[in-house]
Amino acid sequence: MIPEINKTLSKIVIFIGVILFFLPKVNLINLQAGESAGLRVDDIIIFFIFIFLILGFCILKRKTITWIEFFFGLLIISYLLSNIINICFFGQSNILYSIRYIEYFLFFYIGYYYSINYKITTFLFWLLFINAIVMILQLFNVIGGFASAGFSDSISDRVIGLTGGPWEIGLIINFIFAIYLFDEKQYPGIKINLIFIITFLLILLTGSRMATIAHLLLFLIYKYNKSANKSLFAFSLTFYVLLLIGLILFIPNQVTERSAGLFSKENIDEFFIVYRRMQINHPFTGLPLLENTNISGGDLSWIMRVTKWTYIFKDFFGTPYTWFIGFGPGLWGSAVDGGWVRLLTECGIIGTSFFVFFFKKAIQFGKPVFGVVLSLYISMIMIDVNISYKAMAFVFFTVGYYYQKSVHQSGIYLNQYYPDTLK
């Protein structure tokens, strides 16, 4: 169990950490050409949180670690080793991408100490409420937003709230909804249905297809778990699916507009064309750009992914050492448009296995963590959310919050089933 540091110190850590979720991402210094993330105000604040935590642990003379810290350490070591090997022998990868995960993990401690003092639902309400207001104002072009690439004064087509992009705010809404659905407090069905409608409409404003799928799946899992008669649920499921499909198809929204050409013949044809033409360059100089942007009937976002993924997998399968350790975190740059593709090819089977194993253990802390991790995994199919700052900060915050609840409720150390050194 993580020791409780001085209450004043812990409240400072909580306050500063929670405030970060409400701050837009503003770059102070661009660290590298072609990267959307630079040195931000958040990085400076997170550094001070790190100092406060170290100070607290030093005062307590802490000498041991919990098993979850141990497994996260293995994850980071696998990332850093991949970086070091690839940099030393091949001059590629970006170690800053691994350091990012250390920053993200600090939110585990913020969530842990928050759990001792406050209820997560209070935080969720205000995070959703303030983002909803910002999103509505963005929809009507009253205000702009700080996207990953910088400030944009017009984002009414796909709103982003206080995050770096529509995919990120969509996923955070998934997270909030998942916790409301599966939290230990049993909300009445009417309230859950209302929360679903509000959050689902907000996601439609983002145009995020993965967030839409995750939201519907979370709701269906909830309904299944609550159903006393599974046969009756199957019947009602058909009704819900048809109703939601009707809403998505017949009410104008960004999800429908962006998906119009997703399953077109042009998309399939483009894959084979790109695969035949793709040339691999060593050393790596950048992912190929889409050559033909005037493909009639095709889904442009899918075709862009095909172009990138074809290059990445051709290089990956043609370089055997990368199957185990990857090309090194950060090699592909800022936008692979596929978290699982990035994770496997940059971190290899070893890094990917530690990532999955860590979150497999984390979902043991409660159903809300399961809902959050499931949403993360779904969005990683098409989005690099595993390197998205606010999304991953929220994930680790949730893990920390429910880890503390799990340990407190059980009255025992979860790590008693692990080596004695991990106390």
mmCIF file of all heavy atoms in Angstrom, residues 163-195:
data_model
loop_
_atom_site.group_PDB
_atom_site.id
_atom_site.type_symbol
_atom_site.label_atom_id
_atom_site.label_comp_id
_atom_site.label_asym_id
_atom_site.label_seq_id
_atom_site.Cartn_x
_atom_site.Cartn_y
_atom_site.Cartn_z
ATOM 1 N N THR A 163 -9.363 19.813 -24.692
ATOM 2 C CA THR A 163 -8.323 18.838 -25.013
ATOM 3 C C THR A 163 -7.613 19.209 -26.313
ATOM 4 O O THR A 163 -7.876 20.250 -26.906
ATOM 5 C CB THR A 163 -8.923 17.428 -25.137
ATOM 6 O OG1 THR A 163 -9.758 17.368 -26.303
ATOM 7 C CG2 THR A 163 -9.758 17.081 -23.919
ATOM 8 N N GLY A 164 -6.739 18.300 -26.772
ATOM 9 C CA GLY A 164 -5.944 18.558 -27.962
ATOM 10 C C GLY A 164 -6.588 18.143 -29.268
ATOM 11 O O GLY A 164 -6.033 18.364 -30.336
ATOM 12 N N GLY A 165 -7.762 17.518 -29.218
ATOM 13 C CA GLY A 165 -8.402 17.081 -30.445
ATOM 14 C C GLY A 165 -9.737 16.432 -30.179
ATOM 15 O O GLY A 165 -10.046 16.052 -29.035
ATOM 16 N N PRO A 166 -10.575 16.288 -31.214
ATOM 17 C CA PRO A 166 -11.902 15.678 -31.037
ATOM 18 C C PRO A 166 -11.838 14.239 -30.554
ATOM 19 O O PRO A 166 -12.714 13.781 -29.821
ATOM 20 C CB PRO A 166 -12.524 15.784 -32.441
ATOM 21 C CG PRO A 166 -11.371 15.952 -33.375
ATOM 22 C CD PRO A 166 -10.333 16.695 -32.611
ATOM 23 N N TRP A 167 -10.804 13.502 -30.990
ATOM 24 C CA TRP A 167 -10.647 12.116 -30.529
ATOM 25 C C TRP A 167 -10.380 12.052 -29.029
ATOM 26 O O TRP A 167 -10.836 11.132 -28.351
ATOM 27 C CB TRP A 167 -9.484 11.464 -31.298
ATOM 28 C CG TRP A 167 -8.189 12.179 -31.090
ATOM 29 C CD1 TRP A 167 -7.281 11.983 -30.093
ATOM 30 C CD2 TRP A 167 -7.685 13.270 -31.866
ATOM 31 N NE1 TRP A 167 -6.238 12.873 -30.197
ATOM 32 C CE2 TRP A 167 -6.453 13.674 -31.289
ATOM 33 C CE3 TRP A 167 -8.147 13.934 -33.001
ATOM 34 C CZ2 TRP A 167 -5.696 14.723 -31.806
ATOM 35 C CZ3 TRP A 167 -7.377 14.969 -33.513
ATOM 36 C CH2 TRP A 167 -6.168 15.348 -32.914
ATOM 37 N N GLU A 168 -9.668 13.048 -28.507
ATOM 38 C CA GLU A 168 -9.296 13.027 -27.091
ATOM 39 C C GLU A 168 -10.477 13.379 -26.195
ATOM 40 O O GLU A 168 -10.722 12.704 -25.191
ATOM 41 C CB GLU A 168 -8.129 13.988 -26.839
ATOM 42 C CG GLU A 168 -7.495 13.816 -25.470
ATOM 43 C CD GLU A 168 -6.219 14.616 -25.316
ATOM 44 O OE1 GLU A 168 -6.114 15.729 -25.891
ATOM 45 O OE2 GLU A 168 -5.314 14.139 -24.605
ATOM 46 N N ILE A 169 -11.229 14.414 -26.553
ATOM 47 C CA ILE A 169 -12.386 14.759 -25.739
ATOM 48 C C ILE A 169 -13.447 13.670 -25.856
ATOM 49 O O ILE A 169 -14.146 13.357 -24.888
ATOM 50 C CB ILE A 169 -12.963 16.139 -26.130
ATOM 51 C CG1 ILE A 169 -14.100 16.536 -25.180
ATOM 52 C CG2 ILE A 169 -13.448 16.156 -27.562
ATOM 53 C CD1 ILE A 169 -13.701 16.623 -23.724
ATOM 54 N N GLY A 170 -13.554 13.043 -27.034
ATOM 55 C CA GLY A 170 -14.494 11.931 -27.191
ATOM 56 C C GLY A 170 -14.165 10.792 -26.255
ATOM 57 O O GLY A 170 -15.058 10.206 -25.616
ATOM 58 N N LEU A 171 -12.883 10.468 -26.150
ATOM 59 C CA LEU A 171 -12.453 9.370 -25.276
ATOM 60 C C LEU A 171 -12.646 9.723 -23.809
ATOM 61 O O LEU A 171 -13.064 8.881 -23.006
ATOM 62 C CB LEU A 171 -10.992 9.026 -25.557
ATOM 63 C CG LEU A 171 -10.401 7.865 -24.745
ATOM 64 C CD1 LEU A 171 -11.212 6.592 -24.946
ATOM 65 C CD2 LEU A 171 -8.946 7.629 -25.131
ATOM 66 N N ILE A 172 -12.355 10.955 -23.432
ATOM 67 C CA ILE A 172 -12.545 11.357 -22.034
ATOM 68 C C ILE A 172 -14.023 11.289 -21.650
ATOM 69 O O ILE A 172 -14.366 10.891 -20.529
ATOM 70 C CB ILE A 172 -11.963 12.768 -21.807
ATOM 71 C CG1 ILE A 172 -10.425 12.680 -21.794
ATOM 72 C CG2 ILE A 172 -12.469 13.381 -20.512
ATOM 73 C CD1 ILE A 172 -9.712 13.990 -21.642
ATOM 74 N N ILE A 173 -14.906 11.630 -22.582
ATOM 75 C CA ILE A 173 -16.344 11.480 -22.320
ATOM 76 C C ILE A 173 -16.682 9.998 -22.149
ATOM 77 O O ILE A 173 -17.503 9.632 -21.296
ATOM 78 C CB ILE A 173 -17.172 12.120 -23.444
ATOM 79 C CG1 ILE A 173 -16.974 13.647 -23.432
ATOM 80 C CG2 ILE A 173 -18.660 11.789 -23.286
ATOM 81 C CD1 ILE A 173 -17.605 14.366 -24.601
ATOM 82 N N ASN A 174 -16.064 9.130 -22.951
ATOM 83 C CA ASN A 174 -16.213 7.674 -22.750
ATOM 84 C C ASN A 174 -15.831 7.295 -21.325
ATOM 85 O O ASN A 174 -16.544 6.532 -20.654
ATOM 86 C CB ASN A 174 -15.314 6.903 -23.703
ATOM 87 C CG ASN A 174 -15.778 6.879 -25.132
ATOM 88 O OD1 ASN A 174 -14.985 6.687 -26.036
ATOM 89 N ND2 ASN A 174 -17.058 7.067 -25.370
ATOM 90 N N PHE A 175 -14.680 7.790 -20.872
ATOM 91 C CA PHE A 175 -14.185 7.465 -19.534
ATOM 92 C C PHE A 175 -15.186 7.898 -18.459
ATOM 93 O O PHE A 175 -15.489 7.144 -17.517
ATOM 94 C CB PHE A 175 -12.848 8.154 -19.275
ATOM 95 C CG PHE A 175 -11.709 7.656 -20.122
ATOM 96 C CD1 PHE A 175 -10.571 8.444 -20.309
ATOM 97 C CD2 PHE A 175 -11.751 6.420 -20.731
ATOM 98 C CE1 PHE A 175 -9.503 7.987 -21.069
ATOM 99 C CE2 PHE A 175 -10.693 5.956 -21.507
ATOM 100 C CZ PHE A 175 -9.569 6.741 -21.667
ATOM 101 N N ILE A 176 -15.652 9.130 -18.581
ATOM 102 C CA ILE A 176 -16.592 9.668 -17.597
ATOM 103 C C ILE A 176 -17.855 8.810 -17.554
ATOM 104 O O ILE A 176 -18.346 8.443 -16.477
ATOM 105 C CB ILE A 176 -16.936 11.133 -17.936
ATOM 106 C CG1 ILE A 176 -15.698 12.026 -17.748
ATOM 107 C CG2 ILE A 176 -18.093 11.633 -17.067
ATOM 108 C CD1 ILE A 176 -15.881 13.447 -18.241
ATOM 109 N N PHE A 177 -18.374 8.477 -18.722
ATOM 110 C CA PHE A 177 -19.584 7.661 -18.817
ATOM 111 C C PHE A 177 -19.354 6.277 -18.213
ATOM 112 O O PHE A 177 -20.209 5.745 -17.485
ATOM 113 C CB PHE A 177 -20.003 7.549 -20.279
ATOM 114 C CG PHE A 177 -21.273 6.782 -20.500
ATOM 115 C CD1 PHE A 177 -22.448 7.170 -19.880
ATOM 116 C CD2 PHE A 177 -21.304 5.675 -21.333
ATOM 117 C CE1 PHE A 177 -23.642 6.473 -20.076
ATOM 118 C CE2 PHE A 177 -22.481 4.967 -21.551
ATOM 119 C CZ PHE A 177 -23.648 5.367 -20.915
ATOM 120 N N ALA A 178 -18.197 5.676 -18.489
ATOM 121 C CA ALA A 178 -17.881 4.342 -17.966
ATOM 122 C C ALA A 178 -17.877 4.334 -16.445
ATOM 123 O O ALA A 178 -18.380 3.390 -15.811
ATOM 124 C CB ALA A 178 -16.529 3.879 -18.504
ATOM 125 N N ILE A 179 -17.340 5.369 -15.835
ATOM 126 C CA ILE A 179 -17.276 5.410 -14.376
ATOM 127 C C ILE A 179 -18.673 5.604 -13.789
ATOM 128 O O ILE A 179 -19.030 4.971 -12.777
ATOM 129 C CB ILE A 179 -16.312 6.519 -13.912
ATOM 130 C CG1 ILE A 179 -14.881 6.178 -14.356
ATOM 131 C CG2 ILE A 179 -16.363 6.682 -12.393
ATOM 132 C CD1 ILE A 179 -13.872 7.271 -14.099
ATOM 133 N N TYR A 180 -19.482 6.463 -14.411
ATOM 134 C CA TYR A 180 -20.864 6.614 -13.947
ATOM 135 C C TYR A 180 -21.632 5.293 -14.045
ATOM 136 O O TYR A 180 -22.433 4.957 -13.179
ATOM 137 C CB TYR A 180 -21.591 7.689 -14.762
ATOM 138 C CG TYR A 180 -21.442 9.081 -14.213
ATOM 139 C CD1 TYR A 180 -20.809 10.083 -14.940
ATOM 140 C CD2 TYR A 180 -21.949 9.417 -12.955
ATOM 141 C CE1 TYR A 180 -20.665 11.367 -14.441
ATOM 142 C CE2 TYR A 180 -21.814 10.699 -12.436
ATOM 143 C CZ TYR A 180 -21.169 11.670 -13.192
ATOM 144 O OH TYR A 180 -21.040 12.934 -12.678
ATOM 145 N N LEU A 181 -21.386 4.541 -15.111
ATOM 146 C CA LEU A 181 -22.093 3.272 -15.314
ATOM 147 C C LEU A 181 -21.735 2.231 -14.264
ATOM 148 O O LEU A 181 -22.598 1.533 -13.730
ATOM 149 C CB LEU A 181 -21.771 2.700 -16.704
ATOM 150 C CG LEU A 181 -22.424 3.333 -17.923
ATOM 151 C CD1 LEU A 181 -21.977 2.598 -19.179
ATOM 152 C CD2 LEU A 181 -23.942 3.295 -17.811
ATOM 153 N N PHE A 182 -20.433 2.119 -13.980
ATOM 154 C CA PHE A 182 -19.956 0.979 -13.198
ATOM 155 C C PHE A 182 -19.462 1.334 -11.798
ATOM 156 O O PHE A 182 -18.942 0.469 -11.094
ATOM 157 C CB PHE A 182 -18.833 0.264 -13.961
ATOM 158 C CG PHE A 182 -19.252 -0.195 -15.339
ATOM 159 C CD1 PHE A 182 -18.622 0.290 -16.472
ATOM 160 C CD2 PHE A 182 -20.279 -1.109 -15.486
ATOM 161 C CE1 PHE A 182 -18.999 -0.133 -17.741
ATOM 162 C CE2 PHE A 182 -20.665 -1.544 -16.742
ATOM 163 C CZ PHE A 182 -20.028 -1.053 -17.873
ATOM 164 N N ASP A 183 -19.607 2.597 -11.396
ATOM 165 C CA ASP A 183 -19.145 2.991 -10.071
ATOM 166 C C ASP A 183 -19.945 2.258 -8.997
ATOM 167 O O ASP A 183 -21.068 1.785 -9.231
ATOM 168 C CB ASP A 183 -19.276 4.506 -9.888
ATOM 169 C CG ASP A 183 -18.594 4.990 -8.623
ATOM 170 O OD1 ASP A 183 -17.421 4.654 -8.412
ATOM 171 O OD2 ASP A 183 -19.246 5.688 -7.829
ATOM 172 N N GLU A 184 -19.359 2.151 -7.798
ATOM 173 C CA GLU A 184 -19.984 1.417 -6.697
ATOM 174 C C GLU A 184 -21.341 1.998 -6.312
ATOM 175 O O GLU A 184 -22.221 1.291 -5.817
ATOM 176 C CB GLU A 184 -19.066 1.432 -5.478
ATOM 177 C CG GLU A 184 -18.734 2.841 -5.004
ATOM 178 C CD GLU A 184 -17.651 2.873 -3.949
ATOM 179 O OE1 GLU A 184 -16.938 1.871 -3.804
ATOM 180 O OE2 GLU A 184 -17.520 3.907 -3.278
ATOM 181 N N LYS A 185 -21.526 3.302 -6.561
ATOM 182 C CA LYS A 185 -22.817 3.913 -6.286
ATOM 183 C C LYS A 185 -23.774 3.547 -7.407
ATOM 184 O O LYS A 185 -23.518 3.817 -8.577
ATOM 185 C CB LYS A 185 -22.684 5.434 -6.187
ATOM 186 C CG LYS A 185 -23.991 6.135 -5.850
ATOM 187 C CD LYS A 185 -23.788 7.628 -5.717
ATOM 188 C CE LYS A 185 -25.103 8.330 -5.371
ATOM 189 N NZ LYS A 185 -24.927 9.806 -5.225
ATOM 190 N N GLN A 186 -24.882 2.919 -7.072
ATOM 191 C CA GLN A 186 -25.843 2.468 -8.066
ATOM 192 C C GLN A 186 -26.812 3.598 -8.401
ATOM 193 O O GLN A 186 -27.677 3.959 -7.613
ATOM 194 C CB GLN A 186 -26.613 1.252 -7.533
ATOM 195 C CG GLN A 186 -25.733 0.055 -7.236
ATOM 196 C CD GLN A 186 -25.054 -0.490 -8.484
ATOM 197 O OE1 GLN A 186 -25.689 -0.686 -9.514
ATOM 198 N NE2 GLN A 186 -23.758 -0.725 -8.397
ATOM 199 N N TYR A 187 -26.643 4.184 -9.594
ATOM 200 C CA TYR A 187 -27.529 5.252 -10.016
ATOM 201 C C TYR A 187 -28.818 4.674 -10.597
ATOM 202 O O TYR A 187 -28.802 3.612 -11.227
ATOM 203 C CB TYR A 187 -26.842 6.121 -11.074
ATOM 204 C CG TYR A 187 -25.632 6.849 -10.550
ATOM 205 C CD1 TYR A 187 -24.352 6.336 -10.761
ATOM 206 C CD2 TYR A 187 -25.762 8.030 -9.839
ATOM 207 C CE1 TYR A 187 -23.231 6.999 -10.266
ATOM 208 C CE2 TYR A 187 -24.654 8.692 -9.349
ATOM 209 C CZ TYR A 187 -23.394 8.170 -9.567
ATOM 210 O OH TYR A 187 -22.294 8.820 -9.077
ATOM 211 N N PRO A 188 -29.949 5.360 -10.404
ATOM 212 C CA PRO A 188 -31.204 4.862 -10.992
ATOM 213 C C PRO A 188 -31.127 4.856 -12.513
ATOM 214 O O PRO A 188 -30.403 5.647 -13.121
ATOM 215 C CB PRO A 188 -32.251 5.867 -10.481
ATOM 216 C CG PRO A 188 -31.472 7.080 -10.084
ATOM 217 C CD PRO A 188 -30.131 6.589 -9.631
ATOM 218 N N GLY A 189 -31.905 3.947 -13.129
ATOM 219 C CA GLY A 189 -31.868 3.781 -14.573
ATOM 220 C C GLY A 189 -32.177 5.055 -15.331
ATOM 221 O O GLY A 189 -31.575 5.339 -16.378
ATOM 222 N N ILE A 190 -33.098 5.851 -14.816
ATOM 223 C CA ILE A 190 -33.472 7.102 -15.503
ATOM 224 C C ILE A 190 -32.277 8.043 -15.565
ATOM 225 O O ILE A 190 -32.025 8.673 -16.597
ATOM 226 C CB ILE A 190 -34.659 7.772 -14.776
ATOM 227 C CG1 ILE A 190 -35.904 6.899 -14.883
ATOM 228 C CG2 ILE A 190 -34.918 9.158 -15.356
ATOM 229 C CD1 ILE A 190 -37.107 7.445 -14.143
ATOM 230 N N LYS A 191 -31.522 8.137 -14.474
ATOM 231 C CA LYS A 191 -30.365 9.023 -14.446
ATOM 232 C C LYS A 191 -29.285 8.524 -15.402
ATOM 233 O O LYS A 191 -28.660 9.330 -16.120
ATOM 234 C CB LYS A 191 -29.801 9.107 -13.023
ATOM 235 C CG LYS A 191 -28.661 10.096 -12.896
ATOM 236 C CD LYS A 191 -28.248 10.303 -11.448
ATOM 237 C CE LYS A 191 -27.151 11.353 -11.349
ATOM 238 N NZ LYS A 191 -26.758 11.597 -9.936
ATOM 239 N N ILE A 192 -29.073 7.207 -15.454
ATOM 240 C CA ILE A 192 -28.084 6.637 -16.368
ATOM 241 C C ILE A 192 -28.478 6.909 -17.815
ATOM 242 O O ILE A 192 -27.641 7.274 -18.649
ATOM 243 C CB ILE A 192 -27.925 5.128 -16.129
ATOM 244 C CG1 ILE A 192 -27.211 4.864 -14.795
ATOM 245 C CG2 ILE A 192 -27.148 4.474 -17.271
ATOM 246 C CD1 ILE A 192 -25.793 5.376 -14.732
ATOM 247 N N ASN A 193 -29.754 6.737 -18.131
ATOM 248 C CA ASN A 193 -30.226 6.996 -19.495
ATOM 249 C C ASN A 193 -30.029 8.456 -19.876
ATOM 250 O O ASN A 193 -29.656 8.775 -21.014
ATOM 251 C CB ASN A 193 -31.706 6.623 -19.630
ATOM 252 C CG ASN A 193 -31.919 5.123 -19.580
ATOM 253 O OD1 ASN A 193 -31.019 4.347 -19.883
ATOM 254 N ND2 ASN A 193 -33.116 4.704 -19.181
ATOM 255 N N LEU A 194 -30.262 9.353 -18.925
ATOM 256 C CA LEU A 194 -30.075 10.782 -19.184
ATOM 257 C C LEU A 194 -28.600 11.097 -19.423
ATOM 258 O O LEU A 194 -28.257 11.844 -20.349
ATOM 259 C CB LEU A 194 -30.607 11.600 -18.001
ATOM 260 C CG LEU A 194 -30.466 13.130 -18.122
ATOM 261 C CD1 LEU A 194 -31.237 13.640 -19.343
ATOM 262 C CD2 LEU A 194 -30.947 13.809 -16.844
ATOM 263 N N ILE A 195 -27.737 10.511 -18.578
ATOM 264 C CA ILE A 195 -26.294 10.718 -18.755
ATOM 265 C C ILE A 195 -25.853 10.178 -20.108
ATOM 266 O O ILE A 195 -25.041 10.801 -20.807
ATOM 267 C CB ILE A 195 -25.508 10.033 -17.610
ATOM 268 C CG1 ILE A 195 -25.806 10.713 -16.286
ATOM 269 C CG2 ILE A 195 -24.003 10.072 -17.901
ATOM 270 C CD1 ILE A 195 -25.219 9.999 -15.087
#
